[in-house]
Amino acid sequence: MDTDRKTIQAICLFCGSSPGMDPAFKLAATQLGTTLAHNNIRLIYGGGHVGLMGVAADACLSAGGEVVGVIPRKLMEKEVGHAGLTQMHVVETMHERKALMTRLCDGFIALPGGYGTLDELFEALTWQQLAYHLLPVGILNVSGFFDHLVKFLDHARDERLLRDAHRNSLIVDTDLQKLIARMQSFVPPNNEKWLDRASKESIV
Ligand code: AMP
């Protein structure tokens, strides 16, 4: 088990490229950006200036935080890339983007979003399940947005398609501070001694 865990210094955010209907989503994105800045936690994200991603990035920057974007060239050329970030990595593919975001962070948080957010969330969970990384994966359940998804995962577990340990490794909370605290004390479900945090560069 990975007992020598460092504190979380960078969080990768997955969230909607749209703002969504409920004003609570934007508020949560703002709170997340501000909270990371105040706790000296770097924000790693998809690099866009649109939707909830743009809101979180702007809030983090305004509060004096560091924000690192990882964006595929195609999206950058469509001019949705954020021009004011601390650092922007331009990559060729969506796969490279997810791999680099994983290398740059110490944990993942998902806010409300659509296919892009869900794809990123489930890839992070799948890689954790296979011990490609041992990082915590959390959902901030704003206004019950993820209630149905969480129920579905329980259903998958009940149908024996998802192991208990892997179902339980997903951290779900409605409170951001509690979510981050739970992520800090996360114990990975896999006990693969040869796959530790120090070696993730060579794996992902
Ligand atoms: P979605 O949830 O479908 O709105 O997709 C949002 C997620 O997909 C974000 O976390 C991004 O990593 C990625 N993404 C989707 N659209 C964009 C965009 N226009 N610019 C940058 N990243 C995007």
Side-chain angles (χ1 to χ4, degrees), residues 14-18 46 48 50 53 71 75 80 97 113-117 120:
F14 305 138
C15 64
S17 55
S18 307
V50 287
M53 0 183 356
I71 196 163
L75 283 181
V80 295
R97 170 200 241 178
Y115 281 150
T117 302
E120 291 168 325

Side-chain angles (χ1 to χ4, degrees), residues 1-191:
M1 200 60 72
D2 185 8
T3 48
D4 187 26
R5 296 176 60 78
K6 59 173 181 162
T7 45
I8 291 178
Q9 293 174 329
I11 278 181
C12 178
L13 172 66
F14 305 138
C15 64
S17 55
S18 307
M21 277 269 283
D22 189 334
F25 300 159
K26 265 189 169 183
L27 272 178
T30 304
Q31 191 206 358
L32 185 132
T34 311
T35 302
L36 294 191
H38 290 165
N39 288 281
N40 288 319
I41 299 174
R42 201 172 311 117
L43 171 61
I44 313 295
Y45 84 116
H49 204 169
V50 287
L52 297 178
M53 0 183 356
V55 172
D58 285 341
C60 190
L61 290 167
S62 310
E66 282 185 28
V67 183
V68 177
V70 183
I71 196 163
R73 191 174 307 282
K74 204 169 146 190
L75 283 181
M76 189 68 177
E77 284 165 3
K78 281 187 182 163
E79 293 183 321
V80 295
H82 195 304
L85 302 184
T86 314
Q87 196 180 3
M88 179 76 99
H89 297 274
V90 181
V91 295
E92 294 308 318
T93 66
M94 293 292 274
H95 291 108
E96 278 177 56
R97 170 200 241 178
K98 286 185 278 189
L100 181 55
M101 290 201 294
T102 302
R103 285 207 299 276
L104 294 175
C105 78
D106 304 311
F108 305 89
I109 291 182
L111 283 179
Y115 281 150
T117 302
L118 296 173
D119 165 64
E120 291 168 325
L121 170 67
F122 282 107
E123 184 155 301
L125 284 168
T126 308
W127 289 7
Q128 184 200 67
Q129 173 176 272
L130 297 171
Y132 276 72
H133 69 69
L134 301 176
L135 307 173
V137 182
I139 283 178
L140 186 63
N141 194 9
V142 185
S143 294
F145 177 79
F146 287 105
D147 284 355
H148 296 290
L149 185 77
V150 168
K151 274 208 182 96
F152 175 77
L153 296 180
D154 288 341
H155 171 64
R157 181 206 44 214
D158 294 346
E159 291 291 341
R160 310 245 174 210
L161 291 164
L162 186 57
R163 285 191 190 164
D164 259 351
H166 297 140
R167 165 63 193 90
N168 296 336
S169 75
L170 173 62
I171 305 166
V172 183
D173 216 299
T174 52
D175 181 277
L176 180 60
Q177 298 286 0
K178 282 191 198 147
L179 179 68
I180 294 173
R182 288 174 64 192
M183 288 172 68
Q184 295 276 18
S185 57
F186 170 73
V187 177
N190 296 292
N191 188 7

